[in-house]
Amino acid sequence: MMDPLLKLNYMFSETILLQKLQVLPKLEKKYHRFRCPRETKRRKVIDDFISIMDSLIKEFSARFSQFKELSETFKFIMYPDVISFDKLNLSQFDWLEIEELKMQLIDFQSSSIWIQKFIETRKKLELIEAERLTSNISKNTSNEILETWNSIPDAFNCLKKLAYAILTIFSSTYACESLFSEINNIKDSLRNRLTDDSNSACILLKVTSLLLI
């Protein structure tokens, strides 16, 4: 007996392939071109489609599962004044000095100055979001967060390293692909003598609006 969920998935996939292709004219044209007259072959096409969709779902689930595991850690950049060290998943940040990070976090959360700074930052971000909703004017909130962390003294260097590492995480390969495209545009056949430092500076100016100084 076919599993109900699998049966539903099968019926849904069959519907897409056989009945609703009019909304995808190019796909419909290709499907009818290679459409098999026999029922068994037609079902094989549907089964292959289901298999591909299942593989994609599993691949994306695996790719983004790590972000779910780090969801509490991501809150650190906004709530370093209240977050518990025990909630930080630092498995991907083993290059940090963990014990030093822990001590710095204790010192940081003991200072009313830095606690107040992040309270004010969160209020500012709330105002920016409210303005965006009412006036449809979009502002880059990452700049506000980064400016706040830039203002933190180097006595909390481990905290800053963790914050910068989280801020530079991206959820897809798009950023890398875009970066390589920009590199090809910057260091072309006519500018092949750029030094690594000059090349890095040009790329930084091209791809980011964030000021790291």
Side-chain angles (χ1 to χ4, degrees), residues 40-178:
T40 54
K41 290 187 177 180
R42 182 176 70 85
R43 287 192 175 276
K44 185 179 183 306
V45 171
I46 297 171
D47 288 340
D48 289 344
F49 175 81
I50 294 173
S51 177
I52 291 170
M53 293 302 297
D54 286 342
S55 296
L56 284 173
I57 290 170
K58 289 177 182 177
E59 183 180 339
F60 277 100
S61 296
R63 181 174 295 183
F64 291 104
S65 62
Q66 201 172 67
F67 284 90
K68 293 179 181 178
E69 294 171 4
L70 294 172
S71 59
E72 285 296 319
T73 306
F74 290 158
K75 294 178 183 179
F76 171 78
I77 60 172
M78 287 286 293
Y79 300 93
D81 52 317
V82 294
I83 197 167
S84 170
F85 178 81
D86 294 333
K87 288 187 175 181
L88 295 177
N89 181 350
L90 301 174
S91 58
Q92 303 299 318
F93 307 96
D94 54 1
W95 44 269
L96 285 169
E97 298 176 27
I98 305 300
E99 288 302 317
E100 181 63 21
L101 176 70
K102 185 176 183 178
M103 295 305 298
Q104 288 184 16
L105 186 61
I106 293 172
D107 290 342
F108 187 88
Q109 294 178 346
S110 301
S111 171
S112 58
I113 296 175
W114 309 123
I115 291 174
Q116 186 60 33
K117 193 169 191 66
F118 275 89
I119 291 174
E120 292 173 357
T121 298
R122 290 194 290 269
K123 287 181 179 178
K124 188 182 294 185
L125 292 175
E126 288 176 8
L127 291 173
I128 291 174
E129 179 63 13
E131 184 180 356
R132 184 188 69 81
L133 293 173
T134 55
S135 61
N136 293 322
I137 298 176
S138 181
K139 291 184 179 180
N140 192 343
T141 55
S142 296
N143 284 340
E144 297 291 339
I145 300 171
L146 188 61
E147 285 175 8
T148 301
W149 277 105
N150 283 341
S151 68
I152 301 299
D154 288 339
F156 302 107
N157 63 322
C158 287
L159 302 185
K160 293 177 72 172
K161 287 177 182 178
L162 177 58
Y164 292 152
I166 293 172
L167 285 168
T168 53
I169 291 175
F170 46 87
S171 57
S172 74
T173 59
Y174 165 78
C176 285
E177 293 167 3
S178 177

Side-chain angles (χ1 to χ4, degrees), residues 195-212:
T195 64
D196 289 342
D197 289 342
S198 297
N199 197 33
S200 297
C202 289
I203 293 169
L204 184 63
L205 288 170
K206 180 66 177 178
V207 302
T208 184
S209 60
L210 302 180
L211 299 177
L212 300 176

